[in-house]
């Protein structure tokens, strides 16, 4: 559906002018770690729901068996600082941290993946201070446990959280008409956390991870609205973090070292827009096929991000469900190689999630990972064989592109 079959004849890859070095392996495995409260008040905890907290040692070991020695994972702030502010219980994260270290897997840690401790007002000054202190404390813990400064993302997907929680009331803080206010507050907190981590552990690497999208209105007269509310607005959080706009929020070049871009099969769509009562232009619709002439190629989206920020980037999340998993990776791999051929320094591709999981809204099983959710009798996750085969082929192609002799781009 998305490209050639694994093992098919391929033209020789041109060698890239750079060698990726941000992560231990070019492919990463991302463990779903969302912790938001839904609109109905229910707290999600995807690490617990997938039993990754119990099976971390096996999960990380299985990653290495597929040539993956880098991962994304989460520190569950609502558990770590669930009691007295400033007092940290690291027991929810220490087993994960130690399991990854034992397996030789480098982890980049999300510190706030949509959720925060109960009773903490996200719009308050305390939110900024508490995220910064917690971030510094975790950085020190990481250094003590591993001997290395951490790789962290202070706040995952500021743009999506501001939209879903600040405009659409679909998750905490379940507000409407406060999306820009929430985005500014999350930037303040992320910038403060980045500086606190650098002070606590010099040499730490900071990631700024946001979705990339492309929206095409059905009516030509709505083109400028789509550009303003979506296609240009997608850069706003990064621009704030970089200090390019609203520098009073605390942004600056030191707030991140690399950009992570999240891109799924439905990140481009066509829509008929409408104005909401709170003054927001909403444009939701059907996803565009990769073959639709209105679609922008992924390599072009990656190039646009690199032109804008000039720093290393990586594909921080990408997946699709069921039998399209392998064809989707084939498509994405080809697009990333094209981006690299055009001079975009792509540091890696994260299969996110690496493990199937219950859906946010209805607990339905989302079969979108290399590993299926339910472990077998030995505690190991079943492997989705077509995706494993495609992964090996993609590792081989990237190894050729980066001029490595190994069959895997590690």
């Amino acid at each position: 559906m998305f490209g050639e079959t694994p093992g098919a004849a391929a033209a020789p890859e041109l060698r890239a002018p750079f060698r990726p070095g941000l992560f231990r392996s070019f492919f990463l495995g991302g463990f779903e770690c969302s912790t938001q409260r839904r609109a109905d008040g229910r707290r999600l905890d995807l690490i617990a729901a997938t039993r990754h907290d119990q099976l971390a040692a096996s999960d990380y070991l299985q990653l290495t068996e597929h040539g993956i020695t880098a991962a994304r994972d989460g520190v569950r702030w609502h558990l770590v600082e669930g009691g007295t502010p400033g007092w940290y219980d690291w027991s929810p994260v220490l087993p994960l941290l130690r399991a990854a270290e034992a397996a030789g897997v480098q982890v980049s840690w999300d510190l706030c993946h949509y959720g925060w401790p109960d009773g903490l007002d996200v719009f308050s000054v305390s939110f900024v201070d508490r995220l910064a202190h917690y971030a510094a404390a975790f950085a020190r813990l990481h250094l003590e446990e591993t001997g290395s400064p951490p790789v962290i993302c202070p706040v995952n997907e500021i743009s999506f959280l501001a939209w879903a929680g600040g405009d659409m009331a679909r998750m905490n803080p379940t507000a409407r008409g406060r999306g820009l206010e929430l985005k500014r507050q999350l930037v303040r907190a992320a910038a403060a956390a980045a500086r606190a981590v650098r002070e606590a552990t010099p040499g730490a690497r900071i990631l700024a991870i946001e979705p990339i999208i492309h929206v095409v209105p059905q009516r030509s007269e709505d083109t400028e609205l789509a550009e303003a509310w979506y296609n240009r607005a997608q850069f706003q959080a990064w621009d704030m973090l970089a200090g390019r706009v609203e520098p009073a929020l605390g942004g600056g070049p030191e707030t991140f070292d690399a950009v992570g871009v999240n891109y799924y099969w439905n990140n481009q769509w066509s829509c008929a827009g409408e104005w909401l009562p709170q003054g927001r232009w909403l444009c939701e619709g059907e996803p565009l096929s990769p073959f639709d002439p209105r679609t922008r190629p992924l390599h072009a989206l990656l190039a646009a991000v690199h032109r804008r920020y000039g720093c290393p980037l990586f594909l921080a999340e990408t997946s699709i469900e069921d039998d399209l998993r392998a064809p989707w990776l084939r498509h994405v791999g080809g697009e990333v190689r094209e981006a690299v051929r055009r001079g975009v320094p792509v540091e890696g591709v994260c299969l996110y999630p690496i493990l199937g999981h219950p859906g946010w809204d209805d607990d339905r099983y989302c079969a979108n990972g290399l590993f299926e959710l339910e472990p077998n009798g030995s505690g190991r996750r079943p492997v989705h064989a077509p995706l494993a085969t495609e992964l090996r082929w993609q590792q081989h192609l990237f190894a050729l592109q980066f001029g490595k002799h190994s069959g895997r781009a590690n």
Side-chain angles (χ1 to χ4, degrees):
M1 178 178 180
F2 294 111
E4 64 188 26
T5 56
E13 300 281 351
L14 296 178
R15 293 195 174 189
F18 87 109
R19 293 276 295 269
L22 182 60
F23 304 109
R24 288 183 189 168
S25 61
F26 186 77
F27 281 93
L28 297 82
F31 292 94
E32 234 283 29
C33 54
S34 299
T35 61
Q36 71 267 29
R37 284 201 177 275
R38 304 188 317 189
D40 62 5
R42 176 185 167 189
R43 166 80 71 181
L44 298 185
D45 183 342
L46 271 293
I47 288 179
T50 58
R51 296 176 60 195
H52 178 52
D53 52 348
Q54 302 172 32
L55 300 173
S58 176
D59 288 344
Y60 285 126
L61 184 59
Q62 279 197 258
L63 282 185
T64 66
E65 293 169 358
H66 294 269
I68 298 175
T69 53
R72 289 188 63 199
D73 215 322
V75 186
R76 292 169 289 174
W77 187 12
H78 74 287
L79 297 180
V80 167
E81 197 182 8
T84 304
W87 290 88
Y88 307 112
D89 173 9
W90 298 114
S91 62
V93 70
L94 276 173
L96 280 67
L97 197 159
R98 289 169 178 169
E101 190 69 10
V105 174
Q106 172 200 24
V107 178
S108 61
W109 297 96
D110 288 358
L111 301 185
C112 177
H113 198 112
Y114 304 141
W116 47 84
D118 291 331
L120 176 57
D121 179 5
V122 69
F123 293 106
S124 68
V125 173
S126 295
F127 182 87
V128 177
D129 294 338
R130 283 177 61 177
L131 179 63
H133 284 99
Y134 148 68
F138 174 73
R140 289 190 290 268
L141 175 78
H142 190 283
L143 184 61
E144 292 168 3
E145 286 286 327
T146 70
S148 302
V151 181
I152 67 155
C153 173
V155 181
N156 177 68
E157 288 196 329
I158 290 173
S159 298
F160 178 76
L161 178 51
W163 176 81
D167 275 324
M168 306 305 296
R170 297 180 181 178
M171 64 170 66
N172 50 214
T174 59
R176 294 187 183 275
R178 302 184 72 181
L180 183 56
E181 180 186 358
L182 180 55
K183 186 180 291 185
R184 287 171 172 146
Q185 178 71 345
L186 294 171
V187 167
R188 286 189 192 96
R195 291 191 173 89
V197 166
R198 292 197 192 281
E199 182 176 352
T201 54
R205 305 299 298 270
I206 313 296
L207 309 177
I209 298 174
E210 297 289 324
I212 51 173
I213 62 172
H214 180 59
V215 175
V216 180
Q218 293 176 3
R219 298 183 297 266
S220 60
E221 58 267 31
D222 290 337
T223 298
E224 180 52 34
L225 286 173
E227 289 295 313
W229 285 94
Y230 290 89
N231 296 333
R232 289 198 300 266
Q234 69 181 302
F235 300 111
Q236 194 172 48
W238 278 320
D239 285 351
M240 289 176 174
L241 281 171
R244 295 184 175 189
V245 298
E246 303 195 39
L249 298 175
E254 69 281 4
T255 59
F256 59 88
D257 300 295
V259 164
V261 296
N262 296 344
Y263 183 77
Y264 293 91
W265 62 276
N266 54 356
N267 276 39
Q268 301 194 51
W269 66 92
S270 178
C271 56
E274 61 175 321
W275 284 100
L276 299 180
Q278 62 266 32
R280 192 193 200 288
W281 192 68
L282 178 67
C283 201
E284 297 184 331
E286 291 300 312
L288 293 174
S289 161
F291 305 107
D292 191 306
R294 296 171 295 173
T295 299
R296 290 195 69 193
L298 174 58
H299 72 259
L301 297 176
L302 294 173
V305 173
H306 181 245
R307 282 195 302 270
R308 194 175 187 99
Y309 301 105
C311 64
L313 62 83
F314 74 110
L315 192 57
E317 296 183 17
T318 193
S319 69
I320 199 170
E321 292 191 35
D322 300 321
D323 292 339
L324 292 177
R325 281 176 272 188
W328 178 252
L329 179 58
R330 190 176 316 135
H331 168 71
V332 167
E335 287 292 316
V336 171
R337 284 192 298 280
E338 181 61 26
V340 172
R341 278 194 291 264
R342 293 171 181 243
V344 180
V346 182
E347 290 280 353
V349 173
C350 183
L351 305 184
Y352 196 104
I354 196 71
L355 173 63
H357 60 89
W360 287 357
D361 298 326
D362 54 11
D363 290 328
R364 72 174 182 87
Y365 180 48
C366 301
N368 50 7
L370 176 63
F371 306 137
E372 306 294 0
L373 176 59
E374 290 301 326
N376 57 29
S378 63
R380 290 170 59 84
R381 316 281 190 171
V383 176
H384 184 69
L387 184 55
T389 299
E390 184 61 45
L391 173 62
R392 287 193 296 272
W393 179 241
Q394 292 299 321
Q395 288 168 326
H396 170 71
L397 292 178
F398 279 103
L400 291 178
Q401 184 168 39
F402 295 129
K404 299 182 179 181
H405 299 292
S406 167
R408 289 178 175 178
N410 292 336

